[in-house]
Amino acid sequence: MWYGKPRLASSPGAPDRLVAAQSQGALGMRVYDVGSGMLHETAHSEAVGDVEDMAVTPDGRSVITANGGNYYHQRWRLSDLTEETQYDTGPYPNSVAVDSHGTVAAGIVAGGEWDVRIYRPGETAAYRTVALSPGYADLLDRGVAWAPDGNRLFTTRFP
């Protein structure tokens, strides 16, 4: 049962999988097989919820979530929604994007601090940090996206 509009994500690496997660303070994430044209639930967890943003890895094996109540982004295995790892990003994660090579951009609401951290595939220590601007210009929810070739990262902020 969905208590609001769920966040949805998929990946070309697993075109028959759809991931749906609760947002707006509720708990629950589900993975569906949609290959037959019907929804068939393959995994479910109440350990995940209040998801601001999420991105499925290019191989279709994991999903990375941004939950504003944590001080880290989480990576979950799609086969059973077991937590695989955490990316220590700082306060109030609100956005995430994964490029076609598996590079992770993890964004937080930091008020002009290091707003985005970049992680190489398979690593949980950021190799690059990006401050969008001085002062209090916050990264917007779901505010990071990679160019299709992975050579550029786009962000949106307020004001």
Side-chain angles (χ1 to χ4, degrees), residues 2 18 31-42:
W2 299 105
L18 175 66
V31 180
Y32 298 101
D33 182 332
V34 296
S36 69
M38 304 280 290
L39 287 177
H40 173 69
E41 186 177 299
T42 60

Side-chain angles (χ1 to χ4, degrees), residues 3-40:
Y3 295 101
K5 298 173 187 172
R7 304 271 185 240
L8 302 174
S10 63
S11 170
D16 293 336
R17 279 198 184 154
L18 175 66
V19 183
Q22 291 281 14
S23 59
Q24 303 173 350
L27 294 176
M29 179 180 274
R30 290 174 165 75
V31 180
Y32 298 101
D33 182 332
V34 296
S36 69
M38 304 280 290
L39 287 177
H40 173 69

Side-chain angles (χ1 to χ4, degrees), residues 22-158:
Q22 291 281 14
S23 59
Q24 303 173 350
L27 294 176
M29 179 180 274
R30 290 174 165 75
V31 180
Y32 298 101
D33 182 332
V34 296
S36 69
M38 304 280 290
L39 287 177
H40 173 69
E41 186 177 299
T42 60
H44 173 254
S45 176
E46 293 296 323
V48 190
D50 195 18
V51 173
E52 299 289 334
D53 197 10
M54 66 180 174
V56 177
T57 57
D59 62 8
R61 295 182 182 170
S62 304
V63 62
I64 301 167
T65 58
N67 173 322
N70 295 332
Y71 278 48
Y72 49 85
H73 286 64
Q74 294 168 281
R75 183 180 181 125
W76 307 88
R77 185 174 39 240
L78 287 185
S79 62
D80 59 4
L81 290 177
T82 298
E83 184 180 35
E84 294 178 315
T85 195
Q86 295 178 356
Y87 300 87
D88 186 20
T89 52
Y92 317 122
N94 70 345
S95 54
V96 63
V98 182
D99 76 3
S100 60
H101 307 290
T103 303
V104 175
I108 61 174
V109 178
E113 299 278 328
W114 299 111
D115 300 288
V116 181
R117 287 167 173 76
I118 311 295
Y119 300 85
R120 289 185 177 99
E123 296 182 7
T124 58
Y127 78 92
R128 184 170 182 199
T129 54
V130 179
L132 297 181
S133 68
Y136 291 93
D138 289 336
L139 180 69
L140 292 175
D141 291 352
R142 298 173 303 284
V144 296
W146 288 102
D149 62 7
N151 287 329
R152 288 181 288 169
L153 179 67
F154 300 96
T155 62
T156 57
R157 65 179 178 90
F158 178 82

